[in-house]
Amino acid sequence: MKHRLTDLTYLNSISEDDQEFKKDIINTFLQNTPLYLADMKSGLDTLDWKKIGDIAHSLKPSFTLMGMTEKKDILLKIEAYGRNRSHTGKLSGLIRELETVIQQAISELREDLDGIA
Amino acid sequence: MPAENPVKIYIVEDDPLYLKFLDHVISLNPDHEIKKFTTGNALIEAIHEKPSIITLDYTLPDISGEEVLRQVKEFDPNIPVIIISGQQEIGIAVQLLKLGAYDYIGKDEETKERLNYAITNAKRNVQLINEINSLKKEISSKYEFEKSLVGNSPAIKQVFELMQKAVNTNITVSITGETGTGKELVAKAIHYNSRRRNNAYIPVNIAAVPRDLIESELFGHEKGSFTGAISRRIGKFEEASGGTIFLDEIAEMDLNLQAKLLRVIQEKEVTRVGGNQIIPVDSRILAATHKDLSEEVKKGNFRQDLYYRLLGLPINIPPLRERGNDILILAKHFLDLFCVENDMEKIVISGAAKEKLLKYSYPGNVRELKSIMELAAVMGNNVEIKAEDINFPSMRSEDKFTYEELTLKEYNHRIIDHFLNKHNQDVLKVAAVLDIGKSTIYRYLKEKQN
């Protein structure tokens, strides 16, 4: 079985049994995260390192809410490299890694969504 | 059902996911009325709606959280702004807290608990600030001119006019008047109607503070500067900085201290007793005395230079005996007040009682009239104050004309002056009351003019 990247324990604890809220949050994640990722990639094309760093910064709370703590260090690196304009050569690889993580998270969350009443 | 007194919480967050999260956490309390903003400028446009609390994301798409915070604080420094940010740098948090942010919360697993805690505390803070503001308003309205000094005689109207001039500037005001005329009320009314009204009003009765302690009382002292100075204490001048200090019974100040006071007034700075540090103070000075300060200067009891410094705008409050019909207006005012304070039905004053009240000279002035009316309310039949309910504790009316030795002519003039003041300078009326020719009065007035 594939190792799960998302963990909804934190989201469950703050939802206080509000299933609609939970669905809403997951749906928002499913809709917005690919857009953030696309923005990040466009930053790579235009060499806009600061933009890449800022987007990584904005994604951090979503990772916290979805319990993706073990993959947060990818975001922290992208944020630091982008904002400091350092190790920019590593950004492309990190963003590819991030994309894989997000794709897996999306598929896990889609399944979870089906299971929520 | 909407809460009766909702707490308006404005959330500023550009990330849609986190905005939903914050909305959910904050709206768990039904007392919270939430409005959401995704840009800093949108919040600034709505700031006139006076939110109770703002949660602010540091990184926004249009302007920085720091700039939003600055503008909110400029509009109203009392609105608590809770920064919620993913920034890890401690320097940013410190900078924002220095700028007046209420709290700084990271976007992590503890956000919900920390946010709830911060909102609970901020609400308590807002409540306290509101309470203070409403108390301040209450005090200000209590000291509105018309409420603080009751009466409509020309003499008191002149006092109102001078007070009005006093509130518009920071000029030093010297208030004179016999005991019980209401010098402190005038001082309070000037402060609470001036631009300094939101800062401290510090009264000091020079006569009531032991001579040895007055210097440390006014200017403060450093620890160990004298026996008993067990800790540093700031003085009344420092306490009143930004506000007003009221120096009552200024004529009682001893000459040594007068020299120090003069220095404080001239230099606008104090040095605490036993200290070396010079502390700038910005306290407006109102001074009062029942004595004639110019006489005290002549006698050598009061420094001439300080006298001129303190004189500023002189306001002389007339004695009650020169305020004519004000006696009855005040008598009714005190009686009504006493009835309200003691849950009594309204009591009226009989014609005979009014006449009796008008004849008395009130050496204790308004303060004396107040106790006379309170005693009358207690002694009377709870419906009407009769002449016999009015008891004068001190002098009889004619005593005021004979308390010092004068010539008969001088007595006559004093009597004419008294009745002219009492009857608003109405010569015909005074002539009728005293049963003398009006020409006698005109002659006297002409003589006085020359």
Side-chain angles (χ1 to χ4, degrees):
Chain A
M1 207 175 109
K2 204 172 180 183
H3 173 67
R4 249 190 97 102
L5 287 180
T6 55
D7 176 358
L8 298 185
T9 313
Y10 177 57
L11 184 60
N12 286 331
S13 78
I14 54 168
S15 304
E16 299 197 1
D17 283 337
D18 186 342
Q19 301 302 322
E20 282 310 308
F21 165 69
K22 231 163 89 176
K23 277 201 270 186
D24 193 12
I25 288 283
I26 294 173
N27 271 324
T28 312
F29 181 89
L30 295 177
Q31 279 163 19
N32 283 302
T33 319
L35 301 177
Y36 277 131
L37 194 64
D39 258 1
M40 218 181 239
K41 283 183 185 166
S42 80
L44 266 186
D45 297 338
T46 54
L47 308 181
D48 192 345
W49 313 124
K50 187 183 171 296
K51 180 180 169 186
I52 293 172
D54 286 347
I55 296 168
H57 172 79
S58 300
L59 270 170
K60 286 190 300 184
S62 310
F63 271 45
T64 305
L65 280 168
M66 296 307 152
M68 298 159 70
T69 40
E70 63 178 281
K71 295 293 174 193
K72 227 170 163 180
D73 62 322
I74 304 175
L75 285 178
L76 291 174
K77 277 183 194 163
I78 300 175
E79 181 188 9
Y81 296 167
R83 284 184 166 178
N84 300 332
R85 294 171 178 85
S86 62
H87 304 92
T88 46
K90 291 182 180 171
L91 280 172
S92 175
L94 282 166
I95 292 173
R96 264 201 308 278
E97 206 182 323
L98 182 69
E99 188 172 13
T100 317
V101 167
I102 288 173
Q103 275 167 357
Q104 191 188 327
I106 286 176
S107 89
E108 285 174 19
L109 291 169
R110 280 213 175 103
E111 272 178 40
D112 290 336
L113 203 58
D114 293 339
I116 299 173
Chain B
M1 203 172 76
E4 215 173 294
N5 287 312
V7 180
K8 281 200 273 183
I9 302 183
Y10 284 12
I11 307 172
V12 192
E13 172 63 63
D14 66 319
D15 178 32
L17 184 77
Y18 218 71
L19 184 59
K20 282 182 178 166
F21 161 73
L22 293 174
D23 182 20
H24 171 77
V25 169
I26 298 170
S27 60
L28 286 174
N29 185 331
D31 290 343
H32 295 166
E33 187 184 287
I34 294 165
K35 215 166 183 181
K36 294 172 273 186
F37 302 87
T38 53
T39 63
N41 282 323
L43 172 87
I44 298 300
E45 271 171 37
I47 196 69
H48 64 275
E49 294 165 15
K50 294 188 178 168
S52 318
I53 297 169
I54 295 170
T55 76
L56 177 64
D57 182 19
Y58 178 74
T59 316
L60 291 168
D62 52 348
I63 45 175
S64 75
E66 194 174 314
E67 182 52 31
V68 178
L69 174 66
R70 216 186 290 273
Q71 292 197 35
V72 170
K73 290 286 149 189
E74 224 174 76
F75 173 75
D76 182 353
N78 291 329
I79 299 176
V81 180
I82 301 168
I83 309 283
I84 303 178
S85 169
Q87 299 287 343
Q88 309 292 327
E89 292 131 72
I90 191 86
I92 293 175
V94 171
Q95 169 69 5
L96 291 169
L97 291 170
K98 269 190 192 164
L99 278 173
Y102 184 77
D103 205 346
Y104 186 94
I105 297 174
K107 289 179 177 175
D108 53 32
E109 283 88 347
E110 288 170 14
T111 307
K112 184 186 169 192
E113 284 71 28
R114 287 202 55 200
L115 181 58
N116 281 335
Y117 183 70
I119 289 177
T120 307
N121 283 339
K123 278 198 289 194
R124 208 172 297 147
N125 230 21
V126 169
Q127 204 180 345
L128 282 175
I129 288 167
N130 289 344
E131 259 173 55
I132 290 170
N133 286 341
S134 80
L135 284 172
K136 273 184 181 169
K137 261 187 210 157
E138 207 176 294
I139 291 177
S140 300
S141 79
K142 191 174 161 191
Y143 292 108
E144 276 168 18
F145 291 170
E146 287 74 14
K147 281 188 197 165
S148 54
L149 282 189
V150 177
N152 58 17
S153 61
I156 209 70
K157 276 187 180 156
Q158 201 191 348
V159 172
F160 284 144
E161 273 170 34
L162 290 170
M163 283 164 75
Q164 197 61 57
K165 291 189 192 305
V167 300
N168 297 329
T169 61
N170 278 330
I171 189 170
T172 300
V173 178
S174 55
I175 308 164
T176 49
E178 289 178 11
T179 179
T181 44
K183 295 185 286 291
E184 175 147 25
L185 275 179
V186 169
K188 277 186 185 166
I190 291 174
H191 171 76
Y192 286 110
N193 288 282
S194 74
R195 271 171 290 186
R196 293 173 173 251
R197 69 173 77 91
N198 289 326
N199 296 320
Y201 166 81
I202 306 288
V204 189
N205 187 329
I206 305 291
V209 183
R211 210 161 269 255
D212 298 343
L213 296 180
I214 187 78
E215 187 177 351
S216 113
E217 183 79 8
L218 288 176
F219 310 133
H221 63 245
E222 293 294 342
K223 186 178 174 180
S225 54
F226 53 86
T227 316
I230 50 168
S231 61
R232 168 192 276 186
R233 188 178 165 191
I234 69 160
K236 299 290 185 191
F237 267 94
E238 268 182 83
E239 239 180 280
S241 202
T244 305
I245 185 164
F246 173 55
L247 302 171
D248 200 2
E249 302 293 3
I250 189 82
E252 308 307 315
M253 186 178 276
D254 95 18
L255 279 165
N256 278 336
L257 196 60
Q258 285 178 27
K260 288 180 183 163
L261 176 63
L262 180 68
R263 211 190 142 264
V264 171
I265 297 174
Q266 277 173 341
E267 310 299 329
K268 292 186 187 301
E269 56 193 30
V270 294
T271 309
R272 297 191 192 115
V273 177
N276 300 317
Q277 196 193 345
I278 291 170
I279 301 147
V281 287
D282 164 35
S283 359
R284 187 208 189 155
I285 299 172
L286 307 178
T289 173
H290 69 280
K291 289 185 177 169
D292 182 343
L293 268 191
S294 60
E295 277 302 310
E296 294 302 306
V297 172
K298 276 183 206 159
K299 284 183 203 162
N301 295 334
F302 206 83
R303 289 179 68 112
Q304 192 172 31
D305 43 13
L306 180 61
Y307 168 69
Y308 288 123
R309 274 279 169 186
L310 285 177
L311 193 61
L313 174 68
I315 298 183
N316 181 256
I317 312 175
L320 185 55
R321 62 180 171 276
E322 288 176 11
R323 289 175 56 185
N325 209 42
D326 280 357
I327 294 172
L328 295 182
I329 297 173
L330 279 160
K332 186 178 175 307
H333 169 75
F334 290 133
L335 188 61
D336 290 349
L337 210 65
F338 187 78
C339 291
V340 170
E341 279 169 5
N342 292 283
D343 284 332
M344 292 160 73
E345 293 285 320
K346 263 199 169 181
I347 301 174
V348 294
I349 309 171
S350 74
K354 282 181 184 168
E355 248 174 66
K356 192 170 174 182
L357 281 169
L358 283 171
K359 275 184 189 155
Y360 184 55
S361 66
Y362 302 96
N365 289 294
V366 183
R367 192 186 288 133
E368 187 182 6
L369 174 63
K370 186 170 189 263
S371 38
I372 290 170
M373 291 318 293
E374 286 174 354
L375 181 64
V378 173
M379 301 302 281
N381 59 7
N382 287 347
V383 179
E384 188 187 46
I385 302 279
K386 295 197 165 65
E388 58 264 34
D389 301 326
I390 307 280
N391 293 292
F392 299 128
S394 43
M395 285 192 224
R396 286 172 300 135
S397 177
E398 57 272 30
D399 284 354
K400 83 179 193 67
F401 299 110
T402 54
Y403 66 86
E404 58 179 310
E405 284 180 15
L406 299 172
T407 64
L408 183 61
K409 190 178 176 187
E410 283 168 331
Y411 280 129
N412 283 341
H413 289 170
R414 190 172 271 193
I415 291 167
I416 293 171
D417 273 336
H418 166 78
F419 283 97
L420 281 171
N421 286 328
K422 192 168 171 180
H423 296 292
N424 297 347
Q425 312 299 317
D426 185 339
V427 173
L428 293 182
K429 188 157 188 189
V430 173
V433 169
L434 296 177
D435 194 19
I436 54 174
K438 57 181 187 209
S439 52
T440 311
I441 300 175
Y442 284 126
R443 201 163 43 242
Y444 159 60
L445 287 174
K446 201 171 171 192
E447 227 174 81
K448 196 174 155 187
Q449 231 172 16
N450 298 331

